[in-house]
Amino acid sequence: MSPQNIFILGIESSCDDTSASVLCNGKVLSNVVASQKVHEQYGGVVPELASRAHQQNIVPVIDQALKQASIHKKELNAIAFTRGPGLMGSLLVGTSFAKSMALALDIPLIDVNHMQAHILAHFIEEENQEKPTFPFLAMTISGGHTQIVKVNSHFDMDVIGETIDDAVGEAFDKSAKVLGLPYPGGPLIDKYAQSGNPKAYPFTKPRVDGLNFSFSGLKTAILYFVQKQVKQNPEFVKENLEDICASIQYTIVNILIDKLKKASKDTGIKTIAIGGGVSANTDIRKALKEGEYKYGWNTFIPKFEYTTDNAAMIGIVGYLKYLNKDFTDMSVLAQARIKL
Ligand code: KG4
Ligand code: ZN
């Protein structure tokens, strides 16, 4: 191998996906994700079960990532891992494993902020793919996060808006639970919404100052609405599932787009990138694209596999930090809450 090739192993274990990825000079050679099915029956992630599943998955997942990349662990230049934010029991597994492996191989260790990684996923090297130019606005929307970030450079970011309660993915998943849909319900709401009337049931949008979000009121409003309707007609949900899902999705997408419009107006920035599991949503994608001709936005949506939790995004941050020789030492600790 030529000495210019920098191989990074990325490890992600912040929530309920165990993932490992090998990158060469910022290009993904492998990105293996083991999603934990165990949580489905509980309607949400159970932290204790998540950390146990990470323990079971981490060795085979890393092994698979190295095999798929066709490289030997001795060829790795550094190991990057998610330090936080996330569930402590989950983070500990990836952190401890990364430390031991870096020590055994005698290579640098690089700690990565999971939220930064969702944003820097846009910098994974891909054929014919343009990257956002600085400064840009990044909206990170998932089951664990909802943020609008002003990205000045790779490692200079300001959070300019975030949720004050539930994350947007939680709003999708909890609404889906009210409708009797299995966890995670976000993709199902999206699916049913496609054949429903988005204006069938108007839900009030929360009033939150500035660029912050709130989703807990909406979830309660949906719960009360459904309970009231079911009292009158026990078959209400079954008979109107598409319209209910379309109305919920319409409200949530409007909340997100309204804040993005405000963020763009306030900052004068028209380059907009999204990331996180909820960016898979059909109507968010549509609304974002519409922003291109409506408001002159230049929008960026990463490939689906780099949007949900994955180790390739940890690997790209690892690569960028490697170029800056920004390494960490063995005293580094996992951190459940960590700022951008
Ligand atoms: O990024 P992710 O895989 O994990 C974290 O939460 O960090 O995001 C998962 C979230 C779940 O809440 C899921 O319901 C939501 O993303 N999601 C969607 C869609 N696909 C995934 N929400 C709405 N529409 C979708 N198509
Ligand atoms: Zn995430």
Side-chain angles (χ1 to χ4, degrees):
M1 284 295 164
S2 104
Q4 300 95 305
N5 281 336
I6 307 297
F7 290 102
I8 306 285
L9 171 69
I11 299 175
E12 156 64 27
S13 75
S14 65
C15 188
D16 60 341
D17 294 301
T18 319
S19 181
S21 171
V22 177
L23 284 80
C24 177
N25 301 337
K27 204 167 167 231
V28 178
L29 302 182
S30 64
N31 182 35
V32 178
V33 185
S35 298
Q36 304 176 359
K37 294 265 170 246
V38 61
H39 308 286
E40 276 173 19
Q41 58 187 301
Y42 300 98
V45 176
V46 185
E48 171 72 21
L49 296 179
S51 58
R52 284 192 211 183
H54 284 304
Q55 289 228 58
Q56 282 174 348
N57 295 340
I58 196 147
V59 173
V61 163
I62 290 176
D63 205 38
Q64 194 66 26
L66 289 167
K67 277 203 184 106
Q68 278 182 21
S70 302
I71 75 150
H72 190 273
K73 58 180 184 292
K74 291 202 169 134
E75 290 174 273
L76 292 172
N77 294 83
I79 297 181
F81 69 98
T82 306
R83 182 183 181 195
L87 301 170
M88 185 45 104
S90 293
L91 292 166
L92 278 173
V93 178
T95 305
S96 309
F97 197 95
K99 279 189 189 183
S100 326
M101 194 166 170
L103 196 63
L105 295 171
D106 196 20
I107 53 175
L109 181 66
I110 299 170
D111 64 314
V112 174
N113 180 312
H114 180 90
M115 297 308 296
Q116 237 176 30
H118 269 302
I119 294 169
L120 296 176
H122 291 276
F123 294 88
I124 289 172
E125 291 296 337
E126 294 260 21
E127 305 261 318
N128 307 320
Q129 188 138 324
E130 218 193 310
K131 297 186 181 68
T133 49
F134 300 113
F136 66 91
L137 294 177
M139 185 168 72
T140 317
I141 42 178
S142 78
H145 358 271
T146 308
Q147 284 190 331
I148 300 182
V149 179
K150 181 168 169 271
V151 187
N152 307 309
S153 69
H154 289 135
F155 295 107
D156 177 11
M157 306 182 183
D158 301 310
V159 178
I160 56 172
E162 61 191 332
T163 183
I164 56 169
D165 41 55
D166 289 350
V168 60
E170 273 181 286
F172 270 107
D173 297 340
K174 288 179 178 171
S175 308
K177 201 172 173 183
V178 170
L179 303 177
L181 299 172
Y183 176 84
L188 291 169
I189 293 205
D190 190 10
K191 183 179 139 199
Y192 293 119
Q194 297 316 307
S195 31
N197 172 8
K199 299 205 172 139
Y201 307 107
F203 295 111
T204 315
K205 283 192 285 178
R207 283 177 196 280
V208 191
D209 286 345
L211 297 172
N212 283 342
F213 299 90
S214 167
F215 289 102
S216 71
L218 178 67
K219 169 193 71 191
T220 314
I222 292 166
L223 174 67
Y224 289 165
F225 166 78
V226 169
Q227 282 176 342
K228 194 171 153 206
Q229 297 293 329
V230 167
K231 246 189 213 157
Q232 291 161 10
N233 170 14
E235 298 300 307
F236 173 76
V237 172
K238 212 167 124 195
E239 288 169 8
N240 301 285
L241 188 61
E242 283 92 353
D243 284 351
I244 306 171
C245 288
S247 302
I248 294 172
Q249 183 143 311
Y250 178 76
T251 311
I252 295 179
V253 171
N254 264 326
I255 293 171
L256 296 173
I257 295 294
D258 279 356
K259 292 287 176 174
L260 259 187
K261 269 160 60 181
K262 180 166 170 46
S264 173
K265 204 163 158 235
D266 288 0
T267 59
I269 298 172
K270 288 178 183 257
T271 303
I272 297 183
I274 61 169
V278 180
S279 56
N281 185 272
T282 316
D283 294 330
I284 291 274
R285 288 177 168 246
K286 246 187 237 165
L288 213 67
K289 280 279 151 216
E290 275 170 20
E292 298 206 336
Y293 63 82
K294 278 192 185 164
Y295 320 117
W297 290 352
N298 188 16
T299 65
F300 294 83
I301 308 175
K303 261 186 168 171
F304 181 72
E305 60 260 46
Y306 305 143
T307 268
T308 54
D309 285 353
N310 70 88
M313 69 182 193
I314 306 303
I316 190 65
V317 182
Y319 176 62
L320 294 167
K321 282 191 155 188
Y322 185 92
L323 297 179
N324 290 343
K325 298 212 172 358
D326 186 357
F327 306 137
T328 184
D329 64 42
M330 286 295 155
S331 64
V332 65
L333 299 175
Q335 222 175 310
R337 287 167 187 276
I338 186 170
K339 287 224 180 299
L340 203 62

